[in-house]
Amino acid sequence: MTGIAGVGAYVPRLYLPAEAYREAWDKGGAAGVERVAVADADEDTLTMGTEAGRRALSAADIDAGAVSHLAFATTTPPADEEEAVVRLASLLGVPSNATMQQYGGGTRAGAVALAAARDVAGPTVVIVADNPAGAPESDQAAGSGAGAAALVLTDDGPLTVDAVGEYSDPSPGTRFRRRGSTETESIGITQYERDAYTSTVGGAVDVLDVDISDVDAAALTAPDGKIPYRAARTLGVSTATIASGTVVSQTGDIGAASPFLGLASALDDGAKSVLLVGYGGGSGATSLALSASEDVPVDAVFEGDVELSYAEALRRRGTITGEEPEGGGAYVSVPTWAQTIPQRHRLVAGRCRACGALSFPPEGACFECGSLDGYDETRLPGTGTVEAATVIGQGGAPPEFVEQQQRSGSFPVAVVALDGPDGDAGDDSASIPAQVAHTPAETPDIGDRVEAVPRRIYEQEGVVRYGFKVVPTEARR
């Protein structure tokens, strides 16, 4: 039977304490939420999903090139209409001929994706990422978080899905997002929403053909920090069981990803049996009973480590920033950018066929010997050493980077000697310029070790350009 062989989870390093929202708006905010994770200006569900996916593949000891099926679930894709899963596959290095499916439309999308993937042959990756938002003054905004989780399924994975249940009963208005809007809403009738949640979640669990009364943890979709506990009696489990699979108090509402972060947290704590329930406003639920024959490898980060003020959080989210100025900048057409996707997404360098020198990007004459014989593709591991660094201050960035600078401020850039394919620094390296995504100091020092991470580079013509930035190894989580 196909089972889960590795789990990854990623939560952005920035967070906003709930108290900051209460002070700004003089109201309570999201119930049971102590702080919310905030995606940085260059993060979205694709970059967070890539981070989680890489961790899950590492935990399962599976190469991305061996993956035969990739599923991506989110209610907040970078664009309303686009095959985001294809871009995700490119960032991860999943083969182009793998089957790829995208799920959305409601916060139970991740549970639906996992239920559909359990019978797929070959290594499978299911990634669930979300970054919901609300009107600034709303309780939805007060509780909105960000994060991603990923599961790798193989023929002999130790965590199996023993049963799946489905239940739906129309309850319109409980959670929705209008066409063309970025803000999640509800009609705000509390008892109506609670009843819809508990009855639908309970209905999905009732049809499971297994006893879940003594599971180690229950990981439920968690719009806030109280509503999952209201379902405990209906499900026939203790509130302690709910707590073992709930992380919303430290991440905020992460939509479709919330039960999967809860699952990752429970497994990381040694749970061997977990009830996972994805609930979507409207309302429908999908339940899965999972049990493990042995410990499941988990590579996860569950909390941020950089506190923001309320104003800083609004900036990072793009709530109070301006627009890109007209004119200037180095325009790169989408077709030209697409030609360099292997380099930007997967650090594919070239080794000169004449002299063996590395070149990044692999184009033109070899800088070492001048040969035009071409290059053999060589994928770099994404580690390197800083050779030079500076800071691009306010007003110093090209127009395409102005929005990022408005949201996150001045940013460091560095020239980095990327290690060769064996991971060794030295002569077998390739030097490239890169933005520094996070550094404890204003700029990294020459000689500092760094690692590549997936990020948004900029958006132009309505198309987000993805690539890599670097993070100092000492700051990597």
Side-chain angles (χ1 to χ4, degrees):
M1 180 181 291
T2 300
I4 296 166
V7 177
Y10 174 82
V11 171
R13 69 184 327 130
L14 307 178
Y15 71 90
L16 175 69
E19 183 60 33
Y21 174 88
R22 290 193 285 268
E23 290 177 357
W25 290 100
D26 194 26
K27 55 193 287 191
V33 175
E34 297 175 12
R35 64 189 206 175
V36 297
V38 178
D40 209 340
D42 57 0
E43 293 185 299
D44 63 14
T45 48
L46 272 188
T47 66
M48 292 187 294
T50 303
E51 292 266 20
R54 290 178 177 178
R55 290 174 180 271
L57 287 163
S58 175
D61 195 23
I62 296 290
D63 186 88
V67 173
S68 61
H69 179 80
L70 175 66
F72 180 46
T74 181
T75 67
T76 52
D80 284 346
E81 182 180 336
E82 189 181 40
E83 290 285 344
V85 66
V86 175
R87 292 229 225 175
L88 180 60
S90 178
L91 287 162
L92 286 170
V94 171
S96 298
N97 62 352
T99 59
M100 301 177 194
Q101 295 179 333
Q102 190 165 320
Y103 298 81
T107 51
R108 70 161 163 167
V112 174
L114 177 56
R118 70 190 190 280
D119 294 325
V120 175
T124 295
V125 180
V126 176
I127 296 177
V128 192
D130 243 340
N131 185 17
E137 75 284 0
S138 68
D139 288 346
Q140 283 81 12
S144 292
L151 312 176
V152 175
L153 288 73
T154 64
D155 291 340
D156 56 356
L159 181 65
T160 58
V161 177
D162 300 326
V164 175
E166 299 271 356
Y167 185 84
S168 61
D169 185 20
S171 299
T174 49
R175 181 188 179 107
F176 61 94
R177 185 156 53 90
R178 305 184 197 201
R179 183 182 295 275
S181 173
T182 60
E183 297 174 352
T184 299
E185 304 176 59
S186 76
I187 58 174
I189 303 176
T190 304
Q191 191 59 50
Y192 171 70
E193 293 176 4
R194 289 174 182 169
D195 290 345
Y197 181 94
T198 55
S199 63
T200 307
V201 167
V205 174
D206 282 344
V207 299
L208 287 173
D209 192 23
V210 294
D211 180 12
I212 57 92
S213 60
D214 60 351
V215 294
D216 296 331
L220 314 181
T221 300
D224 60 41
K226 287 191 175 180
I227 196 166
Y229 296 93
R230 296 184 181 277
R233 179 177 298 178
T234 301
L235 299 180
V237 299
S238 69
T239 55
T241 301
I242 300 286
S244 296
T246 303
V247 297
V248 65
S249 65
Q250 297 300 306
T251 63
D253 170 18
I254 44 178
S258 63
F260 288 84
L261 265 292
L263 170 67
S265 178
L267 295 174
D268 197 45
D269 289 338
K272 292 294 193 297
S273 58
V274 180
L275 170 68
L276 185 148
V277 185
Y279 168 82
S283 66
T286 298
S287 62
L288 301 100
L290 304 101
S291 62
S293 57
E294 57 186 77
D295 288 341
V296 180
V298 177
D299 184 347
V301 56
F302 296 108
E303 293 185 4
D305 57 6
V306 177
E307 181 177 326
L308 300 177
S309 68
Y310 184 66
E312 288 172 332
L314 291 180
R315 281 182 59 200
R316 301 289 177 139
R317 289 169 168 166
T319 306
I320 56 173
T321 54
E323 297 180 352
E324 176 185 327
E326 296 290 339
Y331 172 73
V332 180
S333 71
V334 172
T336 299
W337 183 278
Q339 291 175 359
T340 61
I341 280 176
Q343 287 72 51
R344 299 180 187 277
H345 288 187
R346 301 183 297 280
L347 295 175
V348 176
R351 191 173 293 284
C352 177
R353 291 173 182 150
C355 72
L358 279 179
S359 181
F360 189 90
E363 59 186 20
C366 174
F367 71 93
E368 283 287 343
C369 69
S371 171
L372 293 172
D373 290 345
Y375 301 93
D376 292 322
E377 286 192 355
T378 303
R379 188 167 177 178
L380 305 182
T383 54
T385 303
V386 174
E387 296 180 311
T390 188
V391 171
I392 305 298
Q394 293 286 356
E400 58 265 34
F401 296 101
V402 167
E403 181 184 357
Q404 175 193 326
Q405 199 168 71
Q406 289 175 338
R407 292 171 63 177
S408 59
S410 302
F411 55 85
V413 294
V415 175
V416 176
L418 289 174
D419 298 340
D422 294 331
D424 297 326
D427 294 336
D428 194 24
S429 63
S431 294
I432 53 96
Q435 283 192 34
V436 182
H438 177 80
T439 176
E442 190 174 57
T443 59
D445 292 327
I446 294 174
D448 281 357
R449 296 288 290 168
V450 293
E451 300 178 21
V453 293
R455 289 293 188 270
R456 294 168 65 106
I457 305 301
Y458 60 85
E459 181 177 338
Q460 204 168 58
E461 301 172 307
V463 179
V464 179
R465 320 296 178 89
Y466 292 94
F468 69 89
K469 298 184 181 181
V470 295
V471 171
T473 298
E474 65 173 319
R476 188 82 164 105
R477 297 180 301 150

